[in-house]
Amino acid sequence: MNFKRFSLGKFVEFFARIPTRSRRRLLAYSPLAFISILGPGLIAASAGNEASGIATYSFAGANFGYTLLWAFIPMTLFFILAQEMCIRMGVVTGQGLSDLIRENFGVRWTAFVMLALVVANSGIVIAQFVGIAQASELLGVPRYITVPVAALGIWWLVVRGTPKRIEQIFLLMSLIFVTYIVAAFAAKPDWVEIGSSFVKPTLSFEPGFLFTLTALIGTTITPFMPIFLQSSVVEKGLGAEDLGKSRANAIFGVVFANIVALFIVIATAATVHHKSLGLNETSDLAQAFLPVFGEYAKYLFAVGLLGASMLAMGVLPIATAYSVTEALGFEKGLSRSFREAPIFLGMFTALIVIGAVVALIPQIDQIRLLVMTQFVNGLLLPILLAAIVLLSSNRELMGEHVNGRLHKTVAWLMTLILGTLSAVLIARGLIEMLGS
């Protein structure tokens, strides 16, 4: 075998030619069993650690210190629950979430859910371009150069159908955010106070606190994550026999992503909140790196932010277009022309254009824009969760893998809590508007 000509892509192609039954037997009795399904759960969970996610976690730490750390316990449990239900639906039905919603709830309900998804994902797309703009300015390059170039480059790469190698490169770049764990320890936070925040949770009905809590939930369990995960499971052809390994993968991905997010809050709380420093622009977030990287902190932060934003931009718009066109029955596919699939390619292009244009608006509050996108996600999340719980509790659809009584009770409780939080925030906003 010529190892110089060997590549991961060729191995995947070779492995895909093995008959399905033989492939599953091989996976079941080899170390490849877990590795073969590692991608979907880990990628879906880590997707929240992009530009708007980093800004939201940093905003929480800078403004509220350690008082919101307790929220990571229920958020992690809720996240695992949502991901597990989607994995189970994927392996049992062999269909994506959008397909199931259309078939079981009809076109009108599907259109409503997909509209919510488009609104939420549009905000995340905008946030990625804002992240690109801020990262480039930290590196001394005007946003009016980098944003159009990034938009054109992303559009070209995705439409040409060759984004995989680029995604791998930017995934490695985004791993710089793991240094938040190192930065958190280097900042020497008050570990007693951190422990106390988990044991004695702080809850306030002050609008700013509720807003930030909702934004945290929105960035931890972003609506597109369950859809992306279920579609990935279906695409890999995983069956009911892979359910146990898939669940383990989902739990691993959620725990890993949320540990990183937790330390982002700790790092910014220790370096920004307790030193009474402001957090008004994305560049201020680099202060969390100061204890580790000193004067080079902002440059390392900028490279990581750029990589994370580009990574999300390589996947999110096209995933949104796939979800909506799949749900509504329109033609889709990267190999098709605009005449053959106008809705699919038109939606992808529109998301890119909107994100780039908004990111170029001067005098915009960068941090609040990033956090606002996750706040919107938090408001829309209960809608999608309700559909997930209903589908995974349908015995005709799921058979023996339907939600058990305890599972269904906890899932509905999760949806009710998130829905109540959203309703309280909407009500307070209306009262303040009427009062003014």
Side-chain angles (χ1 to χ4, degrees), residues 51-184:
S52 55
I54 297 302
T56 302
Y57 295 131
S58 301
F59 184 87
N63 287 277
F64 297 97
Y66 307 124
T67 58
L68 279 167
L69 292 181
W70 63 268
F72 278 93
I73 296 177
M75 285 193 306
T76 300
L77 295 176
F78 288 173
F79 195 4
I80 290 173
L81 187 62
Q83 299 292 75
E84 190 279 334
M85 285 189 289
C86 286
I87 281 179
R88 188 153 31 94
M89 285 191 290
V91 299
V92 172
T93 67
Q95 293 179 279
L97 184 56
S98 301
D99 267 338
L100 292 177
I101 290 175
R102 184 188 71 230
E103 291 182 2
N104 290 270
F105 300 118
V107 175
R108 291 184 179 179
W109 217 89
T110 303
F112 177 71
V113 173
M114 289 302 107
L115 177 61
L117 178 69
V118 170
V119 171
N121 285 2
S122 297
I124 302 177
V125 170
I126 292 171
Q128 303 322 305
F129 276 107
V130 171
I132 291 171
Q134 286 290 294
S136 66
E137 290 179 348
L138 282 174
L139 296 172
V141 182
R143 70 176 62 191
Y144 299 102
I145 296 176
T146 54
V147 169
V149 170
L152 182 60
I154 292 167
W155 184 88
W156 180 261
L157 284 174
V158 173
V159 170
R160 296 291 294 179
T162 57
K164 290 185 178 180
R165 188 179 300 273
I166 302 298
E167 288 175 10
Q168 292 172 357
I169 294 173
F170 289 128
L171 179 59
L172 292 175
M173 292 178 65
S174 68
L175 290 179
I176 194 172
F177 287 121
V178 177
T179 57
Y180 265 107
I181 298 176
V182 180

Side-chain angles (χ1 to χ4, degrees), residues 377-393:
N377 282 331
L379 294 179
L380 297 176
L381 182 60
I383 300 173
L384 187 62
L385 286 178
I388 292 173
V389 177
L390 286 171
L391 288 169
S392 57
S393 300

Side-chain angles (χ1 to χ4, degrees), residues 325 330-332 336-349:
T325 51
F330 293 117
E331 288 291 336
K332 61 185 182 295
R336 299 185 182 277
S337 66
F338 269 94
R339 178 174 295 180
E340 295 171 325
I343 304 298
F344 176 78
L345 291 177
M347 178 174 292
F348 168 74
T349 303

Side-chain angles (χ1 to χ4, degrees), residues 305-327:
L305 180 61
L306 182 63
S309 300
M310 294 289 285
L311 171 65
M313 284 306 305
V315 176
L316 186 57
I318 202 68
T320 306
Y322 265 121
S323 297
V324 175
T325 51
E326 179 184 80

Side-chain angles (χ1 to χ4, degrees), residues 26 62 67 94 102 129 157 194 243 250-251 253 274 284 301 303 334 344 346 359 365 379 381 385:
L26 174 63
T67 58
R102 184 188 71 230
F129 276 107
L157 284 174
I194 290 172
L243 187 55
I251 294 173
H274 284 292
D284 295 332
F301 178 83
V303 171
L334 294 174
F344 176 78
D365 190 335
L379 294 179
L381 182 60
L385 286 178

